[in-house]
Amino acid sequence: MITEVAQQKQEHPMEKLLRMDRIPHIWCPTCGIGTTVTALAVALEQLELDLDNVAVVSGIGCTGRVAGYMKLDSFHTTHGRAIPFAFGLHVARPDMKVIVFSGDGDLISIGGNHFIHTARRNVDITVICVNNFIYAMTGGQVAPTTPLTAKSSTSPYGNYEHPFNLPLLAASSGAVYVARWTALHIRRLTTAFKEAISKRGFSFVEVIAPCSTLYARLNKLGDGLDLMKFYHDNSIIKHGADPKDIDIEYQSKITVGKFVDIEKPTFLDCLNNRNKEVFGDKYKIYGGGNGHNRD
Amino acid sequence: MKYWRTPLDIDKIKIPRGELHIIKERCKGCGFCVEYCPKGVLKLSDEFNSKGYHPPVAIKPDECVNCDLCEMLCPDFAIYCLRAEDVEKEVTS
């Protein structure tokens, strides 16, 4: 039915958004990060944005490699400093859509302070945090998101430190859009990415992704496919749930959905409004008409 | 699937058909596409690619309905689906 010539002519629909000279990527078999990248690529495609005005910023870690694989303006920052770089990029180029794509160890552990303060100032960037519950690239050390009693290479008898609840952290710091999905909820995840990128203000999406080589192996949970099946059986979709009630315990039910979607003036709005109040007509609004368009 | 009655617009509804394309050398044999294909089109094959993984093979290629779930779930960008009509059009033109 289909000829060999036609088969050669066709290329994967994602190829225009990926740096194909770097593919195949380094992620392990059954890792969920590649799936999340696909969701972001599809979301960008469906939003029909000018891709010259989209930037992806990553930190260090498995998920930090995303900046290197996406054929967009991208920057691979030092450990934990993805959000400060994105903040600077946004302030210098307010017309640009800046997406931070990084892992839990990078964004919440070493970059935790940047995360809460950028959320507090409501800077108009999108933060995508792939949460695999462990420091995967460095060998499976305990992370600030590792659930209680889960084993890691630095907690061989089970973790005894309370983990962060990321949607609660983001919502209480001032994020205007907070959602959590797993790597299996691929279509809902794409919709969440579309909403988060379109949203004005600090939007945060947590993606629960399987880590087969470390988290699943050290806890004897099978491989990534078994974790995907676990997400399938144990995810509860609850839009608008109170972020206080959605802690993740070891192998417990995972509440997913869109938890926060509010309107709030952004960092540049507040900057322009305050200076306008103080200086009156002498002040020229930064960043064009509404503070987010540059001529 | 058995319906209680024949839908009124059954002659107008056309079930979409998809053409599966598998890039065997890029596959890491995770099995996501095999597990979550709603039509059970795929199966992990016995053959090896050059890295030693078993890429999937379409055992019922005519049943693919172009839902794109395999394409979205594949972490290695190794499988994709095209609408069968579009493919035919491109081949003939």
Side-chain angles (χ1 to χ4, degrees), chain A residues 69 154 161:
Chain A
Y69 292 130
T154 48
E161 299 169 6

Side-chain angles (χ1 to χ4, degrees), chain A residues 225, chain B residues 29-45 54-57 59 70 73 79:
Chain A
L225 184 57
Chain B
C30 68
F32 287 180
C33 52
V34 178
E35 176 71 25
Y36 291 106
C37 176
K39 287 285 189 180
V41 170
L42 295 158
K43 184 180 148 262
L44 284 185
S45 62
H54 296 287
V57 63
I59 44 169
C70 52
L73 275 172
I79 187 166

Side-chain angles (χ1 to χ4, degrees), chain A:
Chain A
M1 193 167 161
I2 175 166
T3 60
E4 283 293 315
V5 183
Q7 228 163 8
Q8 281 166 9
K9 215 166 64 181
Q10 305 288 351
E11 56 174 27
H12 195 282
M14 297 294 119
E15 288 191 10
K16 52 184 174 292
L17 273 160
L18 296 170
R19 293 179 209 264
M20 290 315 293
D21 49 334
R22 286 168 166 260
I23 302 286
H25 53 62
I26 59 149
W27 296 315
C28 313
T30 72
C31 170
I33 301 171
T35 308
T36 318
V37 173
T38 311
L40 180 64
V42 173
L44 287 173
E45 218 164 55
Q46 290 181 358
L47 280 174
E48 294 177 356
L49 294 170
D50 178 12
L51 293 180
D52 289 340
N53 272 338
V54 180
V56 175
V57 183
S58 291
I60 299 295
C62 290
T63 323
R65 309 285 301 198
V66 171
Y69 292 130
M70 294 214 79
K71 204 187 210 167
L72 297 165
D73 287 344
S74 58
F75 197 76
H76 193 187
T77 65
T78 45
H79 201 357
R81 314 297 172 229
I83 290 180
F85 182 87
F87 187 1
L89 185 58
H90 165 68
V91 172
R93 286 284 308 272
D95 57 324
M96 234 178 172
K97 292 273 180 202
V98 183
I99 302 164
V100 176
F101 200 123
S102 208
D104 53 318
D106 183 69
L107 285 174
I108 310 299
S109 175
I110 188 164
N113 226 331
H114 302 302
F115 178 80
I116 56 172
H117 285 282
T118 315
R120 172 180 67 81
R121 290 152 145 175
N122 197 19
V123 180
D124 185 13
I125 57 174
T126 305
V127 176
I128 297 165
C129 176
V130 177
N131 181 1
N132 52 13
F133 303 119
I134 210 159
Y135 281 105
M137 185 167 270
T138 48
Q141 291 84 357
V142 69
T145 45
T146 309
L148 284 172
T149 73
K151 289 190 177 100
S152 69
S153 60
T154 48
S155 61
Y157 304 111
N159 174 33
Y160 48 80
E161 299 169 6
H162 291 287
F164 266 132
N165 175 353
L166 302 189
L168 177 62
L169 182 69
S172 55
S173 306
V176 292
Y177 183 94
V178 178
R180 175 200 273 160
W181 294 105
T182 72
L184 182 65
H185 296 92
I186 188 76
R187 293 201 197 275
R188 291 184 173 100
L189 185 63
T190 309
T191 313
F193 284 168
K194 276 157 65 180
E195 286 175 353
I197 293 167
S198 314
K199 187 84 186 172
R200 237 164 143 265
F202 188 91
S203 36
F204 175 71
V205 184
E206 180 189 7
V207 189
I208 310 282
C211 172
S212 56
T213 308
L214 286 153
Y215 186 72
R217 179 173 61 83
L218 293 171
N219 289 291
K220 299 192 169 54
L221 300 173
D223 62 10
L225 184 57
D226 295 312
L227 281 179
M228 284 289 219
K229 286 178 190 160
F230 174 78
Y231 300 154
H232 181 267
D233 299 336
N234 292 282
S235 298
I236 303 164
I237 298 174
K238 209 168 161 190
H239 291 294
D242 189 342
K244 284 194 190 82
D245 307 331
I246 54 167
D247 272 315
I248 296 180
E249 283 158 32
Y250 180 62
Q251 294 299 87
S252 70
K253 298 272 180 200
I254 301 170
T255 311
V256 293
K258 181 167 80 176
F259 307 124
V260 178
D261 193 355
I262 54 170
E263 300 293 333
K264 219 164 83 173
T266 65
F267 172 76
L268 283 182
D269 290 343
C270 295
L271 175 111
N272 283 324
N273 291 345
R274 183 66 195 146
N275 283 342
K276 194 97 190 153
E277 271 172 39
V278 176
F279 298 109
D281 292 338
K282 273 190 290 179
Y283 179 71
K284 195 169 163 251
I285 286 177
Y286 178 70
N290 59 4
H292 288 262
N293 305 311
R294 192 182 257 191
D295 303 327

